[in-house]
Amino acid sequence: METTPNSTNPTAWIFDEILQGLQRLSCLGLDRQPAAELLPGTARTWLQAIHSGKRWERERDVMRFRAAFTTLTQSRRTWPAPADFLDAMPKAEPHLALPPVTLSPERAQQRLDEIGDLLKQPPAWKGEARAPRTGLSEAAKELARNLERQA
C-alpha cells in the first residue's frame, strides 16, 4: 500500500494525517522514536495497521485523527504504537440522517390526517386518563400505548 502525500490514492489523506501526526510526535523527543528519515516509512506501516479492516471517511474522520494525535502528544512519554493511536481516537459521531421515506400522495395525505387528528385531541395531564385514539395506524397505536405506559 504505497502512497505519498500528493497521490490520488483514496488513502492519501490518511497517510497525510498520520505523517503529520508522527512529525508532531517526533518534536517531543519521545523514548524509542524512529529517526526523522524513517518517518515516511513509519507512516506507511501505520497506514497499513490502521486501515486494515476499517472504513474511514475523510469528512467524518479527519478531525478524529487529529484529536487522537493531540491526545498522544499530551499523554505519551514513549513512542506510541498504532493501537495506542486507535485507543486515543474519539468515538465516531453516529450518522443522524434518516433514509428518505417514499410515500404515495394518498398515503402521505393519510399520514397528515392522522397527525391532524392527534393534534385535535386535548392534552392529558400527567396521571389523567387519556381519550382513546381513533383512526391511527398500527405503528401509531403501538407508540400511543407505549407513551401511555410511561405516563
Side-chain angles (χ1 to χ4, degrees):
M1 187 181 298
E2 193 72 22
T3 185
T4 60
N6 296 322
S7 81
T8 57
N9 186 315
T11 61
W13 73 268
I14 300 173
F15 177 86
D16 291 345
E17 292 300 324
I18 292 171
L19 183 59
Q20 289 172 17
L22 294 178
Q23 289 169 339
R24 287 174 47 207
L25 285 168
S26 72
C27 293
L28 301 176
L30 300 173
D31 290 339
R32 299 177 19 219
Q33 82 178 36
E37 60 269 11
L38 297 177
L39 286 181
T42 303
R44 281 190 290 278
T45 302
W46 274 52
L47 175 62
Q48 290 173 342
I50 291 168
H51 189 61
S52 178
K54 298 213 184 309
R55 189 173 141 247
W56 301 105
E57 296 175 22
R58 184 179 191 145
E59 292 80 25
R60 179 192 69 189
D61 296 321
V62 71
M63 295 310 293
R64 296 175 60 222
F65 273 66
R66 293 174 185 173
F69 276 113
T70 297
T71 298
L72 292 175
T73 61
Q74 294 170 343
S75 62
R76 297 297 302 199
R77 296 187 200 293
T78 60
W79 191 257
D84 298 318
F85 169 81
L86 292 172
D87 290 343
M89 184 172 282
K91 299 282 185 231
E93 293 292 323
H95 290 285
L96 300 178
L98 296 173
V101 176
T102 307
L103 295 176
S104 67
E106 296 81 21
R107 183 67 179 133
Q109 186 59 51
Q110 183 183 7
R111 289 278 177 100
L112 286 173
D113 292 343
E114 290 174 6
I115 292 169
D117 291 343
L118 286 172
L119 292 174
K120 290 176 188 173
Q121 294 181 9
W125 297 100
K126 194 168 187 139
E128 280 185 22
R130 295 176 188 239
R133 299 176 188 259
T134 59
L136 300 177
S137 68
E138 286 305 312
K141 289 177 185 175
E142 180 63 28
L143 178 61
R145 285 191 292 273
N146 288 338
L147 290 173
E148 287 173 0
R149 276 184 253 154
Q150 291 175 2

